[in-house]
Amino acid sequence: MSITILGALSRLDEPGHRAELYRAWSAARVAGLADPVALEQIGPSHTPEVEELRRHLVVGLNQNRSIDGLVKARPKLFSSLESAVLLAGEQAGTLDTSVRVLATFYSTEYKRMLRVRLRMGYPLFVGVIAAFVATLPVLSRDGWHGYMWAIGISLAALWFLGGLVLSILAGIAAAGIVPTRARFLQALLTALSAGIPAGRAVRIAVESSGDNELVRHLAKFSERDVNTTPMAALFAGCASIPAPLLSQMAIADATGDYLHTIKQYADAFPQK
């Protein structure tokens, strides 16, 4: 979490830069470029976290290391969804699909963050106004010269220290803009599209959802139970899973087609 305003705003742009990385990587793979060459040709990212991820992949792949080994070496560079999708692609020989679905996932996340960014304009405006109002006592005590110095110091403090508050507010706003059910579905479909088994996909989607009720519900089951229990039975009684979605999961359990069956629900109710 950055303490500067610029750093906090930059963090909101990170999904967009990850989307650009995976989109360019996907296009390079379609063009027939080897992965190390493709990632090198993409060029530096504008955000330090994504650039560190790109350089880690470039160096590691040039050393003929596996993606599995690279993820394990620097796990904090990758989200749980990202790690699982890349590993699944490497193991199944479907890295093209994995890179493409990650580009789609982060593009959707970036659209959400753009809405959060717009909402952050209000607290920034309030902070600037507060810098002028809170320093008014200095005007009567030290005159205009002292008042201008006090405003400058207040604005500098806001710029260099306000990122902490802005990050907290952005987190609250992000949680409210897209319901956790939509994030759960988005992550679940991304994992399933990458060929990850349903049980593992469920675990990843719950971790990515930000829904405390989903996390608590799944914590009741062992890893073996998650991997072997039908999805509808797994989420039965969970308040965060509505009846229509539970019915769709039951159909998926019966047909074995989790991706397209659950996608029908997600397409019909994309924001619910």
Side-chain angles (χ1 to χ4, degrees):
M1 185 180 292
S2 177
I3 64 171
T4 69
I5 293 292
L6 186 61
L9 292 176
S10 177
R11 290 286 294 177
L12 296 178
D13 290 335
E14 186 177 329
H17 294 300
R18 286 187 184 258
E20 288 174 6
L21 172 68
Y22 288 114
R23 194 180 301 116
W25 188 3
S26 177
R29 287 190 119 254
V30 170
L33 292 179
D35 291 324
V37 177
L39 288 163
E40 188 70 65
Q41 292 298 317
I42 289 170
S45 174
H46 296 294
T47 182
E49 293 81 5
V50 178
E51 176 57 14
E52 190 175 1
L53 168 64
R54 186 188 73 87
R55 289 306 309 168
H56 178 60
L57 289 171
V58 169
V59 172
L61 292 173
N62 273 318
Q63 295 172 346
N64 294 319
R65 296 174 64 185
S66 67
I67 290 178
D68 180 40
L70 294 175
V71 169
K72 289 177 180 177
R74 301 288 302 278
K76 291 184 178 180
L77 292 179
F78 306 85
S79 69
S80 59
L81 175 65
E82 213 168 7
S83 300
V85 169
L86 289 174
L87 293 180
E90 180 181 58
Q91 292 166 1
T94 56
L95 198 56
D96 286 346
T97 300
S98 294
V99 172
R100 187 177 67 252
V101 297
L102 283 173
T104 301
F105 174 81
Y106 281 113
S107 293
T108 303
E109 281 291 288
Y110 181 54
K111 291 176 183 178
R112 181 169 66 94
M113 286 301 126
L114 284 177
R115 295 162 64 190
V116 173
R117 233 185 126 102
L118 287 174
R119 292 194 179 188
M120 292 304 100
Y122 179 73
L124 280 176
F125 175 74
V126 171
V128 171
I129 296 300
F132 284 85
V133 174
T135 52
L136 278 174
V138 179
L139 177 62
S140 58
R141 187 179 69 240
D142 300 327
W144 281 101
H145 184 72
Y147 180 51
M148 296 306 294
W149 269 104
I151 291 173
I153 292 171
S154 298
L155 290 175
L158 174 66
W159 181 256
F160 289 108
L161 300 175
L164 183 61
V165 175
L166 195 68
S167 295
I168 294 172
L169 293 175
I172 295 171
I177 283 179
V178 174
T180 53
R181 190 184 310 158
R183 292 200 297 273
F184 167 74
L185 286 169
Q186 182 191 351
L188 180 60
L189 290 172
T190 299
L192 292 170
S193 297
I196 295 173
R200 176 65 179 144
V202 163
R203 177 76 68 184
I204 294 165
V206 169
E207 291 173 0
S208 304
S209 70
D211 189 317
N212 292 330
E213 172 61 26
L214 278 174
V215 172
R216 284 193 296 268
H217 182 82
L218 202 66
K220 302 173 185 176
F221 299 90
S222 68
E223 193 68 29
R224 181 179 181 279
D225 289 337
V226 173
N227 291 329
T228 58
T229 305
M231 196 178 293
L234 193 65
F235 287 107
C238 179
S240 292
I241 302 297
L245 178 53
L246 203 62
S247 297
Q248 207 75 359
M249 288 178 174
I251 295 172
D253 289 329
T255 62
D257 185 0
Y258 289 94
L259 175 60
H260 295 97
T261 305
I262 294 175
K263 190 174 185 299
Q264 289 178 12
Y265 176 90
D267 289 343
F269 305 97
Q271 295 298 322
K272 293 184 180 181

